[in-house]
Structures are given as structure tokens and as C-alpha cells.
Amino acid sequence: MAANSGKLTICVGDIHGHADRLYKLWHNLEVTIEDFHKCTVIFLGDYCDRGLQTAQVLDFLISLPRRYPQQKHVFLCGNHDLAFAAFVGALPDAPDGFQFKSTWAEFERSQEKEGWWSGDGEEDVHVQGRRWGGRIKIAFNAVKGVFYQGSIYDAEPTFTSYGVAHGDRAGLLAAMPESHREFLRNLVWVHEQGDDTGDPKTSYTKLIAVHAGLESSKPVEPQLQSLRNRDVTAPRVEPLAGRKNVWNTPPELAEKGVLVVSGHHAHLYTDEKLRLIIDESGGLDLPIAAIILPSRVIVRDTDNEESEALLEMPVPAIAGH
């Protein structure tokens, strides 16, 4: 059944290098929504790692504004994307005189266990980039019940998607199209839009989309300002990487009827009126989900059998690739 579009917003959960699932999900959204080509589509971040097709995922996402010019596309930065960008020198500009080496101290006690990347230019790499490109000494991730893939970020499949060995920074920089680095550099860290639906069951005064969420124990406005500015000076950006501390909608936003939407948590959580978490797969062998707002209809890559034919869906060539 086609969803009536009106003013629809689609929030797409973490993709984590699974281009085949992304193609299927996109097809399912297209056949589900009338006037799909006019929707706002918010990608909630974490495009890389775990799956073997990060390069193809970025090709697809980069192609969307040209292929769907009437859509609005929002590409949020996830914690994995920030670390990937840090490793390949594609973070937003740091303040004059700031040295990325100053971000290392908070995590140094974990350096040996995590096997941080070292090599030419390491002093210019943010701590999350060194963790991303490193080789973790522990083989098994007991929290997730899976083996690590290269680093603590499971970054080895991302290197593989570009045809280079894990940890080969020079090789990765040579293999990556400049359009991919620009995509990473231009990711936004927060998206804010007004969306009063008029329906008491779904109504919210404003939507804030951020990869992990906002800290309830801290004032909201300084967090939002740091996200708007894409402040790369912090060793860890909690709204992109936090867990329990960013799960709930901050009370000061809930009082104003503000909806917070994120991915990141390896959960599909739609129980609350003013908090949505759209990350069913967590990069593992589970469906990639999207939510259509304001109806809150969930669409998955697994919904339609005919979308199996899109496993090898071609992406139009991108200039400069």
C-alpha cells in the first residue's frame, strides 16, 4: 500500500557497508511512498565498516542528489564515519593552531590493547582515526558476540572495499576517489527541522536528528551549537558515540514537544512519542530499517521479495571517480 506523501520525512538507519541491502531498502521505499521523489530523506550515519561494500555505499549516496533532484538529502555523520574521516584527513577544519595529537591523552591507557595505527603523519590524525585504522589485540567482541574485524571499529572491510590491506593509509588515500573524501568532509553532525503534524498521536514541534542522541544530563543548546559547528577538538563526541547517556530525549526538549531521532544503538525503538532509534541491524546480519514520518511506518530491505533482483543494482558513474 502506498503511503500518502504530503510532507514526508524518511529516516534511514545505519548502513555499515551493506550496499546490497541499501539498494533493496531504497527500492522498497520508492514503491511504498507516493511522490517519493519529493521527500526529505535523512540518513542517520554510519555508512562504513562491518559490511564489505563501503565504497559502493558512498557511490550510491553521492549519486542521490543528481538522480533525485527534488528530494532533500541529509547525510548525518556517525561515529564510524568520523573515525574514517579522521584516518583519511577528511574531518572538518580544526581551529587555527589546534593539534590532533592533543586528542590522544583521554584514550592512551587503551592504546596497546586497541593497537592504534602508527605511521607517517600520525601526529596529524585525531585519536578516533588512529583507533579506526589500528589492529586490536583482542579477537572476540564479547559485548556483541562477534569477532572484531581489524580494529575496534571493525574497519577492515572498509579497507577491503577499496582493494587495500587493513591499516594501509597511503594505499587507502590513493584508492579513494576524492568525491568520497569530500562526502565525509561535508557530513553534517545534526539536522533540525520544524514538523508540526497536527495529529495528537504523532505531533511534534521540531525534529532533531543526530547519530546517537543528546545527553540528558547537560544543557541542550551548547550540545547543539557544538554539533552545528562540527567541533573536532573533542576526543569523543558524545552525541555521535554515546550510549545510555544519550538514549532519552532531554527533558527540556520533551517539554517543548521536540522529537529526537537517531541510529547507532543496534535497536529499533519506536515506543515513545518523542524518541525514535532506527538501527535494527547494527551492521550485523539483520535488516536495515527506515521510518516514514509522520506515519511511523517502518520499511525494511527485506520487505519485498522482488527487491532481491536489485542485489547488483548499478549506480550511475560519478564524475571524477
Side-chain angles (χ1 to χ4, degrees):
M1 179 182 295
N4 185 12
S5 62
K7 286 179 61 179
L8 292 190
T9 296
I10 303 163
C11 297
V12 179
D14 299 27
I15 298 164
H16 277 301
H18 292 288
D20 50 356
R21 298 182 198 171
L22 174 60
Y23 303 157
K24 295 173 190 177
L25 173 64
W26 192 259
H27 170 77
N28 291 343
L29 288 166
E30 195 157 19
V31 299
T32 299
I33 301 172
E34 295 177 6
D35 293 332
F36 173 69
H37 63 289
K38 296 181 180 180
C39 292
T40 294
V41 187
I42 303 171
F43 292 89
L44 296 170
D46 277 2
Y47 312 111
C48 60
D49 304 338
R50 299 188 178 138
L52 290 168
Q53 302 163 317
T54 289
Q56 295 93 319
V57 167
L58 297 196
D59 276 341
F60 181 84
L61 297 178
I62 291 166
S63 77
L64 291 180
R66 175 170 51 81
R67 295 168 56 208
Y68 296 82
Q70 294 186 67
Q71 285 183 341
K72 178 177 181 179
H73 304 101
V74 177
F75 302 108
L76 287 173
C77 184
N79 59 315
H80 285 254
D81 310 314
L82 183 146
F84 182 13
F87 188 76
V88 298
L91 285 177
D93 290 338
D96 289 345
F98 180 79
Q99 295 184 332
F100 283 120
K101 185 177 180 180
S102 67
T103 64
W104 300 356
E106 184 173 321
F107 287 85
E108 276 184 332
R109 65 182 180 276
S110 302
Q111 180 173 359
E112 183 176 352
K113 179 180 70 174
E114 293 177 354
W116 292 3
W117 177 83
S118 295
D120 291 342
E122 70 180 65
E123 293 194 356
D124 297 323
V125 179
H126 189 284
V127 63
Q128 300 303 335
R130 293 193 65 196
R131 298 175 78 217
W132 186 84
R135 174 71 68 177
I136 192 165
K137 303 292 179 64
I138 302 170
F140 191 72
N141 183 337
V143 175
K144 295 182 180 294
V146 297
F147 287 94
Y148 284 108
Q149 299 183 74
S151 71
I152 195 167
Y153 277 98
D154 297 322
E156 187 166 25
T158 297
F159 285 87
T160 301
S161 77
Y162 289 98
V164 300
H166 179 74
D168 181 359
R169 186 169 187 251
L172 183 58
L173 289 171
M176 282 185 74
E178 184 57 31
S179 60
H180 288 199
R181 296 180 71 227
E182 282 301 301
F183 177 81
L184 294 172
R185 184 176 289 111
N186 292 329
L187 295 175
V188 297
W189 289 17
V190 66
H191 173 70
E192 304 164 78
Q193 66 181 47
D195 272 324
D196 189 349
T197 67
D199 181 344
K201 294 182 179 180
T202 61
S203 182
Y204 47 90
T205 58
K206 181 179 180 179
L207 181 151
I208 296 177
V210 58
H211 178 65
L214 296 169
E215 292 186 87
S216 296
S217 63
K218 296 182 178 180
V220 168
E221 186 55 34
Q223 296 182 69
L224 291 176
Q225 195 58 49
S226 180
L227 292 167
R228 295 173 191 135
N229 293 339
R230 302 189 300 164
D231 182 4
V232 297
T233 63
R236 172 181 161 104
V237 181
E238 289 302 320
L240 306 190
R243 292 294 179 184
K244 292 181 179 180
N245 59 329
V246 297
W247 180 276
N248 297 313
T249 296
E252 65 178 283
L253 293 181
E255 291 172 2
K256 299 175 182 178
V258 177
L259 171 66
V260 178
V261 185
S262 72
H264 180 64
H265 294 277
H267 284 282
L268 183 64
Y269 181 76
T270 61
D271 294 348
E272 294 186 31
K273 180 179 177 181
L274 297 176
R275 184 69 170 109
L276 297 172
I277 297 172
I278 312 300
D279 179 23
E280 191 166 17
S281 76
L284 303 177
D285 191 20
L286 293 166
I288 295 177
I291 192 166
I292 304 169
L293 298 175
S295 67
R296 298 195 175 211
V297 169
I298 299 294
V299 178
R300 298 175 173 86
D301 66 288
T302 54
D303 286 348
N304 295 316
E305 290 184 2
E306 63 264 29
S307 66
E308 292 292 328
L310 298 178
L311 180 62
E312 301 297 335
M313 175 179 172
V315 176
I318 298 170
H321 187 107

